Amino acid sequence: MEMKGIGNWASVRPQVVSWNTEVGKRMGNLGLSKRIVTAQDDPSSGAMATRMGARGDSLEAGRRNSLAGMGVTRAASGALGRVGEGLGRMRELATRAASGTLSDADRASVDAEFQAIKEDLGGFLEDANFSGVELFSGETLGVQVGADPGEDVLVQLPDGETLAGLEGTTIGTQAGAGSVLADIDAALEAVVASQGELGAAEAALGSAALQSSESIEQLARAESRIVDADIAEETAELAKAQLMQHAQLALGMHQDVDDSLVMQLLS
């Protein structure tokens, strides 16, 4: 038995289904504020956005590497500061002990402090580390700071063996105190040189981190222009799709309307 009022439904139904799909798509785009939700929405632009996202992730990883590298340089610089203070005190004691005005007992007392500081520095040079990185290993660390191969900053860690060249020295005698001054000065020069290298590396790492942040921001803006929805445009397209959906349904309910007229009105 033929149902009254749906004479053109068979011809209209495919377009109703099509506009139902379009309405659903536009509502999804608005809900997510995205123009591209699935790859089929815009394959080429979607692929471009995917590449941008991957590069942005790599740049972010490089930025974090830069910050971690700066943590190492600052820790090493701080450790060198402590070594420099110890060496400065040892030099002061050696200068005092080199004077002929001290008695043997006085010189022995000064040497006791000298040896205590030397032992403390020796243990510190051996144990100092930052997140598992030995700060006085003398190694050169390559910090990957960019998204591409070769974009790295070299961090030269201080050499503990150079700074620990005072083993066996004593200021228990006037002659020994005089001779150790040159060794202490050499160690202090090594501290100053290492401080300069670490400072330069930290500056390079800071610059790389800033550059990565700027690149990440630029990529994010470019990706947003590709995938984010134009709310006004999507709203207009949704209204159009809903209007066509309702129009098709209404026309399909009138059996006396010719199929060709229905299609003409909806085209």
Side-chain angles (χ1 to χ4, degrees):
M1 180 178 64
E2 182 179 352
M3 296 181 65
K4 184 177 180 180
I6 55 173
N8 292 301
W9 176 248
S11 59
V12 175
R13 184 179 185 279
Q15 288 209 24
V16 173
V17 173
S18 175
W19 283 110
N20 284 344
T21 302
E22 184 68 13
V23 168
K25 174 185 174 181
R26 296 300 176 182
M27 291 184 69
N29 289 356
L30 282 170
L32 296 173
S33 297
K34 297 290 184 183
R35 182 180 70 85
I36 301 176
V37 178
T38 64
Q40 67 180 4
D41 293 335
D42 189 339
S44 60
S45 295
M48 185 182 300
T50 297
R51 287 193 294 270
M52 287 182 175
R55 185 168 183 81
D57 291 342
S58 292
L59 286 169
E60 175 59 24
R63 188 187 71 84
R64 291 195 298 267
N65 288 345
S66 299
L67 297 178
M70 292 174 68
V72 172
T73 59
R74 290 173 180 174
S77 182
L80 279 172
R82 175 177 169 180
V83 172
E85 291 176 359
L87 290 172
R89 177 58 177 167
M90 290 172 70
R91 196 182 197 290
E92 178 185 352
L93 294 171
T95 302
R96 288 174 55 189
S99 174
T101 59
L102 266 67
S103 65
D104 290 342
D106 291 336
R107 192 171 287 109
S109 177
V110 172
D111 185 51
E113 182 181 352
F114 181 92
Q115 297 302 327
I117 296 174
K118 184 175 67 174
E119 183 177 355
D120 178 67
L121 286 182
F124 180 69
L125 292 172
E126 184 176 348
D127 298 334
N129 73 89
F130 179 82
S131 296
V133 177
E134 296 182 8
L135 297 179
F136 292 97
S137 65
E139 295 180 0
T140 301
L141 304 180
V143 182
Q144 180 71 27
V145 298
D148 299 317
E151 293 186 340
D152 56 2
V153 171
L154 300 181
V155 177
Q156 178 61 55
L157 296 176
D159 188 349
E161 292 186 3
T162 301
L163 300 176
L166 301 175
E167 294 183 6
T169 56
T170 177
I171 58 174
T173 64
Q174 185 176 1
S179 64
V180 82
L181 288 173
D183 295 331
I184 295 175
D185 286 342
L188 284 169
E189 284 300 318
V191 168
V192 171
S194 291
Q195 289 277 28
E197 292 176 346
L198 289 170
E202 183 174 339
L205 290 167
S207 176
L210 179 60
Q211 184 175 351
S212 292
S213 295
E214 292 174 348
S215 297
I216 290 169
E217 184 177 349
Q218 292 170 1
L219 271 176
R221 286 200 296 265
E223 184 181 1
S224 176
R225 286 192 292 270
I226 293 174
V227 303
D228 287 355
D230 183 324
I231 301 301
E233 180 181 346
E234 290 294 337
T235 301
E237 291 296 330
L238 174 60
K240 174 184 175 182
Q242 289 174 329
L243 177 61
M244 296 300 290
Q245 179 188 51
H246 293 317
Q248 286 175 331
L249 288 171
L251 289 172
M253 297 300 291
H254 295 278
Q255 69 181 74
D256 295 328
V257 179
D258 184 76
D259 286 357
S260 61
L261 177 60
V262 173
M263 298 306 173
Q264 182 179 355
L265 289 173
L266 293 176
S267 62

